[in-house]
Amino acid sequence: MNSKFIIPILLLFSTVVFSQNFIVHENIVNPSELINDGIMEVNVSGGSAPYTYKWSNQSTLLTSNKAFGLVEGVAYSVVITDATGNTVTKEYTVPMQNISERFNGTFTPIVNGIALVLFWDPFSAVGIYDPNIYVEKKNIPIPGWSPGIKGEFLIKKWTVEDGTQVKEGDTIALISKGGTEIVGRAFVSGTLKHLAKEGESIYNSENKGDVIEEGAHIYAAVIYDEKIALLHPNGDIQKKNIPFIVIWLSIGALFFTIRMGFINIKGFRHAIDLARGKYDDPNAPGQVTHFQALATAVSGTVGLGNIAGVAVAISLGGAGATFWIILAGLLGMSSKFVECTLGVKYRDIAADGRVFGGPMNYLRNGLEKQNKKVLGKVLAGVFAVLCVGASFGGGNMFQANQAFEAVSGQIPELVGYGFWFGVIISLLVAAVIVGGIQSIAKVTEKIVPIMASIYVVACLAVIFINIENIGPAFAAIYEGAFNPSALKGGIIGVLIVGFQRAAFSNEAGVGSAAIAHSVAKTNNPPSEGFVSLLEPFIDTVVVCTLTALVLIFTGKHEVSGMGGAQLTSDAFGTVISWFPYVLTGAIFLFAFSTMISWSYYGMRAWTYLFGKSKKAEMIYKMFFLVFVVIGASVSLGAVLDFSDMMILAMAFPNIIGLYLMSGEVKEDLNEYWRKLKAGQLYKAQRLAKK
């Protein structure tokens, strides 16, 4: 036989023999009726040990033959490799046991599919930007250090000179803490770099600068011979993508800011005058005052995202994310101005006084005026469907779910009584929403100022008590924004984290707030646009920023591996021991106010799809109340992720319409400025005069 055929035949034979000897026994376990707690274990015989296990679940170590926290009903793969490089691939699914797991397992792949669109990175797709996270060095922290630890750590002696090649595990320094000697070792191989001098302090808990500064506990670094990609536990490269949805919202906000002549800055003072009622005309068409419309819209955005979401953003992006949160909030003010101006301009007012407004109206009627009737109908229909889904999920079930978790966390006796908690919440919500937007506005105009004031005062108290940290805190924000470490994703990573948190929090460009603002009493659409631009300022520039400052001033921005709400609670607890109870009350009020606001958003989208009759409204309200109970009593997992993505997806049809109609908004704005300067706008008379 020709020798050139012998080697391939032998390789094929050895592969077949190996495959026959490489036996995998699996153990698939669904330990409870809780979602996302599946377990897979594989035991291998044959081949050559040791084995590596590359799971599709990124949180599972390469060296682990067991994967935890898996979604029931979803397929997971594992590639098993032995010491000689031979591999075998297996795929398994954890069986589903109940309806919660079936819902979760069904929606998880749907969510992943939508995420591919919403979080697609166009820059990396065309090769402009490399999303992989690389590091050129490995920072060496004080052994056993953790945020909040007390005492002073000193470099007693360097055992290896600066610039020397070291290997993983080498002793590099002796560290002293209160007379106790700690051995410092290199975690990796490379060139050692000293970051502290022998005999000097590395970290001192009495030094507020050390508490605030990111990485103050780092005393050395090992420079790699070549930069190395950061990996997930399963071996996948970590990435910092630039999500398309964030680009979509941010570019839109920047465009509207420039197109409207920096209305977010120039119109701020007039917006405050309008919100205070200086230009309220009681005879103008509409159902609520400027302030009531603002309170309703703010109640729909200020919520758990301002408490837990910001904590997650700061833990991922560091103190520097605060700067980008503020900038994104300022730009978002312009998007709100455009969408809420159009919301009033294209609203319909029924004979009984009910107002029907929002993106559904201006997308359909505004684009029809531009001879884009078909496009307008499609965009309005897509928006309405997404809005209804979002109102049941993110605006309802998620809020009820988180409210119950927060309250039961402080009152353990409630655990297991989610259904009855949901029933009580649904009755409270029903008492408000049955009365329509006027009833909702009357509640939100009272709840929003109270809950916002309590939260802001608490934040200011924490900041004031730690006022000596103001210098280090703002230095950390500046350094983190423009000189972040690779571990935070670099400047692009930190920027994206900040913009993403702001976009998800204030919903500028999403279009939801235009539904609430469309019912305001006014004869001049731009007037409500002015009022609405205060919303991102309150939600993001004020509330989100104060949350971030509390975390930074208390040093909690260095903590990782803790839930967002718990991290914020702990930050307050360092100053106000009983504040976690107040925070629980705030979360409850935030959730309640968000539910009643989103009930109106969803109802208006529902009536656009199914008719404007009061019967259609009542059917929607009954569905909404049922979903309150479901949200509080069932683990929903991916169902809630799906609804959150529907909220974000609302931005696609909405911003397309805003771009196309921005010209007429600019014309209306110019005319409004002319009337204002000429004194032709209604101005309420004040009884108290100088």
Side-chain angles (χ1 to χ4, degrees):
M1 182 182 291
N2 193 322
S3 61
K4 69 179 181 180
F5 296 112
I6 295 176
I7 294 176
I9 290 173
L10 289 174
L11 287 174
L12 178 61
F13 177 76
S14 64
T15 301
V16 171
V17 171
F18 172 77
S19 297
Q20 290 174 342
N21 295 330
F22 204 28
I23 301 171
V24 180
H25 297 281
E26 69 277 358
N27 182 26
I28 312 300
V29 180
N30 186 345
S32 73
E33 294 187 351
L34 298 175
I35 62 172
N36 302 337
D37 67 347
I39 302 171
M40 292 180 183
E41 181 180 9
V42 291
N43 293 296
V44 185
S45 60
S48 303
Y51 307 100
T52 60
Y53 309 85
K54 182 172 175 53
W55 295 87
S56 56
N57 179 47
Q58 290 184 327
S59 63
T60 304
L61 290 169
L62 276 169
T63 55
S64 176
N65 70 325
K66 187 181 289 187
F68 299 90
L70 306 181
V71 180
E72 299 82 1
V74 173
Y76 289 90
S77 65
V78 56
V79 179
I80 305 168
T81 306
D82 78 344
T84 62
N86 293 301
T87 66
V88 63
T89 301
K90 296 290 183 179
E91 187 174 281
Y92 306 107
T93 301
V94 178
M96 299 175 286
Q97 294 181 348
N98 55 51
I99 191 165
S100 293
E101 291 179 348
R102 293 185 186 281
F103 266 115
N104 189 54
T106 301
F107 273 91
T108 294
I110 296 173
V111 168
N112 293 338
I114 297 174
L116 289 176
V117 177
L118 293 179
F119 298 101
W120 170 63
D121 185 346
F123 292 105
S124 64
V126 297
I128 295 175
Y129 166 69
D130 184 359
N132 296 336
I133 302 176
Y134 298 98
V135 290
E136 298 178 352
K137 64 181 180 180
K138 177 70 173 180
N139 290 325
I140 311 296
I142 299 167
W145 182 92
S146 62
I149 195 169
K150 301 297 182 182
E152 182 179 14
F153 296 83
L154 304 168
I155 289 287
K156 184 178 180 180
K157 181 183 179 181
W158 285 107
T159 59
V160 178
E161 294 295 325
D162 188 42
T164 303
Q165 284 287 123
V166 295
K167 294 181 179 180
E168 182 179 353
D170 285 354
T171 298
I172 58 175
L174 298 178
I175 301 168
S176 173
K177 180 196 176 188
T180 302
E181 192 173 275
I182 303 170
V183 177
R185 301 183 187 278
F187 295 160
V188 294
S189 301
T191 304
L192 181 67
K193 180 177 178 59
H194 295 176
L195 299 180
K197 293 182 180 180
E198 197 169 280
E200 289 188 354
S201 174
I202 308 170
Y203 178 90
N204 186 354
S205 60
E206 297 299 319
N207 183 347
K208 297 303 181 183
D210 286 353
V211 175
I212 301 300
E213 180 188 347
E214 289 185 11
H217 58 294
I218 306 297
Y219 70 94
V222 175
I223 311 300
Y224 296 117
D225 294 330
E226 57 184 32
K227 67 180 182 180
I228 297 175
L230 281 179
L231 304 177
H232 288 285
N234 76 331
D236 288 345
I237 296 176
Q238 291 190 29
K239 299 178 183 292
K240 279 289 184 182
N241 291 309
I242 305 177
F244 179 60
I245 185 63
V246 175
I247 298 171
W248 184 250
L249 289 167
S250 301
I251 290 179
L254 180 61
F255 172 80
F256 299 131
T257 297
I258 296 172
R259 186 80 172 87
M260 300 301 142
F262 292 89
I263 192 68
N264 51 348
I265 299 171
K266 292 182 179 179
F268 189 77
R269 182 175 178 180
H270 183 59
I272 293 175
D273 287 342
L274 284 162
R276 291 174 58 195
K278 281 190 175 183
Y279 294 86
D280 281 357
D281 183 353
N283 299 316
Q287 292 180 280
V288 301
T289 66
H290 286 304
F291 180 77
Q292 288 176 326
L294 175 64
T296 301
V298 168
S299 71
T301 57
V302 174
L304 196 66
N306 301 80
I307 299 172
V310 171
V312 172
I314 297 300
S315 64
L316 290 176
T322 308
F323 175 86
W324 302 111
I325 287 174
I326 295 171
L327 180 60
L330 292 172
L331 293 175
M333 294 165 70
S334 304
S335 299
K336 277 287 170 79
F337 172 83
V338 175
E339 62 189 4
C340 293
T341 296
L342 290 169
V344 174
K345 184 174 183 177
Y346 287 98
R347 65 186 177 181
D348 292 328
I349 302 179
D352 59 4
R354 289 180 299 152
V355 177
F356 299 85
M360 299 81 66
N361 286 53
Y362 62 70
L363 288 173
R364 179 171 180 171
N365 301 329
L367 293 179
E368 183 178 355
K369 196 169 72 172
Q370 297 183 8
N371 296 319
K372 299 181 178 70
K373 184 176 181 179
V374 174
L375 176 62
K377 276 189 174 182
V378 171
L379 293 179
V382 170
F383 181 91
V385 170
L386 292 171
C387 187
V388 169
S391 72
F392 288 145
N396 180 341
M397 290 191 292
F398 175 75
Q399 305 300 326
N401 190 281
Q402 294 301 304
F404 177 66
E405 282 197 15
V407 175
S408 61
Q410 295 298 327
I411 309 175
E413 291 78 11
L414 289 178
V415 174
Y417 293 95
F419 175 83
W420 295 109
F421 180 87
V423 169
I424 294 171
I425 296 296
S426 67
L427 292 174
L428 293 173
V429 171
V432 177
I433 69 174
V434 168
I437 185 60
Q438 290 172 311
S439 176
I440 293 171
K442 287 178 181 177
V443 173
T444 56
E445 75 170 337
K446 294 179 176 63
I447 288 181
V448 170
I450 292 173
M451 68 183 185
S453 297
I454 291 173
Y455 191 72
V456 168
V457 168
C459 289
L460 292 175
V462 173
I463 292 169
F464 180 77
I465 291 171
N466 292 279
I467 195 66
E468 70 273 17
N469 297 348
I470 189 168
F474 282 98
I477 292 171
Y478 176 81
E479 285 295 315
F482 299 102
N483 299 296
S485 69
L487 292 175
K488 298 296 183 182
I491 189 167
I492 295 295
V494 175
L495 182 152
I496 291 303
V497 167
F499 268 68
Q500 187 166 304
R501 181 63 262 151
F504 293 4
S505 175
N506 61 45
E507 298 172 17
V510 169
S512 53
I515 301 173
H517 286 282
S518 66
V519 300
K521 291 183 177 181
T522 182
N523 290 299
N524 301 285
S527 68
E528 196 55 31
F530 279 102
V531 174
S532 71
L533 64 79
L534 293 175
E535 189 187 327
F537 183 82
I538 295 168
D539 175 272
T540 306
V541 179
V542 176
V543 180
C544 285
T545 302
L546 284 174
T547 301
L549 290 177
V550 166
L551 293 166
I552 297 166
F553 270 68
T554 56
K556 292 295 181 181
H557 61 301
E558 290 275 33
V559 178
S560 60
M562 183 181 291
Q566 185 60 50
L567 187 59
T568 305
S569 180
D570 285 359
F572 279 106
T574 61
V575 175
I576 311 171
S577 60
W578 44 264
F579 189 77
Y581 295 99
V582 177
L583 190 62
T584 299
I587 290 173
F588 178 84
L589 288 176
F590 285 155
F592 178 73
S593 64
T594 298
M595 281 189 279
I596 62 177
S597 295
W598 267 95
S599 72
Y600 184 72
Y601 300 162
M603 185 177 70
R604 281 293 160 257
W606 179 276
T607 54
Y608 177 83
L609 294 170
F610 300 106
K612 299 177 180 179
S613 68
K614 291 189 175 181
K615 180 181 178 181
E617 290 186 354
M618 188 56 64
I619 291 173
Y620 171 83
K621 290 174 182 177
M622 295 306 296
F623 274 126
F624 192 86
L625 295 174
V626 169
F627 278 108
V628 173
V629 179
I630 293 173
S633 55
V634 179
S635 296
L636 295 162
V639 178
L640 297 181
D641 294 334
F642 175 71
S643 68
D644 279 348
M645 289 189 176
M646 294 185 85
I647 294 176
L648 294 176
M650 287 160 61
F652 287 111
N654 185 54
I655 287 185
I656 290 173
L658 299 186
Y659 278 131
L660 295 174
M661 289 182 276
S662 61
E664 65 179 274
V665 175
K666 177 64 174 176
E667 291 177 4
D668 292 343
L669 174 60
N670 291 337
E671 177 62 15
Y672 185 87
W673 280 128
R674 187 194 66 76
K675 289 181 178 180
L676 179 63
K677 291 177 181 178
Q680 296 176 357
L681 297 178
Y682 183 92
K683 190 170 185 179
Q685 299 297 314
R686 297 296 175 191
L687 296 177
K689 296 182 179 179
K690 291 184 179 179

